[in-house]
Amino acid sequence: EPEVTQTPSHQVTQMGQEVILRCVPISNHLYFYWYRQILGQKVEFLVSFYNNEISEKSEIFDDQFSVERPDGSNFTLKIRSTKLEDSAMYFCASKPDLRDYNGKLFFGSGTQLSVL
Amino acid sequence: KQEVTQIPAALSVPEGENLVLNCSFTDSAIYNLQWFRQDPGKGLTSLLLIQSSQREQTSGRLNASLDKSSGRSTLYIAASQPGDSATYLCAVKPPDNAGNMLTFGGGTRLMVKP
């Protein structure tokens, strides 16, 4: 079965540094998402992306965050100046753009970001 | 604002038992509800998805039900196995005109003992 691929699986960075988390969604999917899960807390929505633009974002997704689809396969999340509270597991997800689709999201295995 | 709650937060059962995990949501205006499995340090695997117009979905030993009007869903696992040990999450999606984001519950951590 096709998979959403995320790299790296673990990322350690110093506070204030920029990080880029990478995702390769399933090839025929057109909706892309980032979610995160802080240790011990609920999975939280960050942003959705469709047709090369952000379609929805949460309060968490402030000016420090940005997303990009630099080519036909990658979907990235950039955090400009990381803070300790950005430490979390970040999940990428995707789904197709089909009229009769049931809405199921496909998630990647996540990138564990640790900000020191 | 939609809130999703899962009870219990943790559950330990002996192998072979049938069990029920509960999920409740505050806003019944949902498009669908999805149950996921999460293994430690891993991603989310979709188990079952129920559309708002449906009452239940089955996959193997798993059966998910939905009572939209009362804001509840259950995940029934039959004949539990040690390999079922994981955290189970439910998530609801609002109607299409209200956005695409999923709202997740806090999960139920299941341990099935051999």
Side-chain angles (χ1 to χ4, degrees), chain B residues 36-73:
Chain B
F36 293 89
R37 170 183 172 137
Q38 184 178 28
D39 292 283
K42 299 289 178 65
L44 306 173
T45 302
S46 180
L47 298 173
L48 289 164
L49 182 147
I50 312 178
Q51 301 295 350
S52 61
S53 58
Q54 297 175 323
R55 288 290 223 168
E56 65 178 327
Q57 283 286 323
T58 298
S59 175
R61 293 182 295 108
L62 305 180
N63 176 277
S65 69
L66 175 64
D67 184 343
K68 199 175 80 155
S69 60
S70 67
R72 293 180 186 179
S73 176

Side-chain angles (χ1 to χ4, degrees), chain A residues 31 33 35 37 42-43 45 48 56 89 91 95 101-105 107-109, chain B residues 4 32 34 36 38 41-44 46 49 51 89 99-102 104-106:
Chain A
Y31 284 93
Y33 307 84
Y35 285 78
Q37 185 178 32
K42 293 182 178 181
V43 176
F45 169 78
S48 61
E56 194 175 1
M89 178 74 91
F91 295 107
K95 70 170 187 171
Y101 187 62
N102 67 5
K104 178 179 170 181
L105 282 193
F107 280 81
S109 56
Chain B
V4 181
N32 63 40
Q34 230 173 316
F36 293 89
Q38 184 178 28
K42 299 289 178 65
L44 306 173
S46 180
L49 182 147
Q51 301 295 350
L89 303 173
N100 261 300
M101 59 186 258
L102 298 184
F104 282 82

Side-chain angles (χ1 to χ4, degrees), chain B residues 16-28:
Chain B
E17 261 199 21
N18 303 324
L19 57 101
V20 175
L21 308 181
N22 297 292
C23 171
S24 61
F25 45 96
T26 54
D27 186 349
S28 62

